[in-house]
Amino acid sequence: LSDLDARPIKHITDFGAYFVAFDRDGRRLLMGPTNDLKDSRRTLGTKLWDDRTQELVDFQFDGKGPVGFRPDGTPIEFVADAKAGTLTLWDLAHRQVLHTFEVPGRLAIQDLSQLGMLPDGSLVAAPVLLADSRPALVVWSGDTGKRLHQLSAKTNCVAFSQDHTLVAGGDETGRITIWSVSTGRVEKILQSGQS
């Protein structure tokens, strides 16, 4: 949809996408991972639609994770490979790894919503199980690859505030914990049914 009158500017009916992100100008739409609408188990890779050229670019990249754009417009994807136990941030245009993130323990990802990334890729997060089987949410800098925090919590979904200052993790009971990105300190805990 485009402008305040929300008029349709493009209908995409061949595939669906788990994550979508617009570039800063709102002219390019990154979609990934995409899947065949006739067979949802069949992944089609990450795609980019450009409003200026009306071109649909298929990166032929089958990573699975949140998508976004670097400040310079580079399309990126934060990819978890649960079997290999790796997390990587990819530059899709050049098909190269920007960062591989050190995972303490092992990944505890059962659904893609458990991965968090700011739209510009400057912060990323994922749940892990530590060596002693304690769950944790780990936050890394997407700019340097450095681990920033290892937060004690079991999370089923994660999100960052747009001002880059907070990270929130929710669990299956409806509890949401909000941490400071700079200190790792718990700022607030919200329970289901609480306003």
Side-chain angles (χ1 to χ4, degrees), residues 104 108 126-130 134-138 150-155:
V128 301
L129 278 177
L130 302 173
R134 283 183 302 123
L137 178 65
V138 180
Q150 185 173 292
L151 309 166
S152 293
K154 181 177 182 187
T155 55

Side-chain angles (χ1 to χ4, degrees), residues 64-66 78-82 85-88 101-117 123-130 134-141 147 149-160 167-169 179:
K64 292 179 175 69
F78 178 45
V79 176
D81 183 336
T86 59
L87 291 167
T88 49
F101 303 97
E102 178 191 342
V103 178
R106 62 184 173 87
L107 291 177
I109 297 168
Q110 296 164 350
D111 185 85
L112 293 179
S113 64
Q114 292 178 284
L115 296 173
M117 181 178 82
L123 292 170
V124 297
V128 301
L129 278 177
L130 302 173
R134 283 183 302 123
L137 178 65
V138 180
V139 178
W140 295 267
S141 165
R147 183 172 24 159
H149 299 290
Q150 185 173 292
L151 309 166
S152 293
K154 181 177 182 187
T155 55
N156 288 29
C157 58
V158 62
F160 289 98
V167 60
W179 296 270

Side-chain angles (χ1 to χ4, degrees), residues 51-64:
D51 177 46
R52 288 178 282 257
T53 64
Q54 296 296 304
E55 181 182 14
L56 182 66
V57 176
D58 185 346
F59 288 110
Q60 297 184 352
F61 180 78
D62 63 354
K64 292 179 175 69

Side-chain angles (χ1 to χ4, degrees), residues 79-97:
V79 176
D81 183 336
K83 288 181 185 172
T86 59
L87 291 167
T88 49
L89 185 62
W90 281 83
D91 171 338
L92 296 172
H94 300 100
R95 292 190 65 91
Q96 67 185 24
V97 173

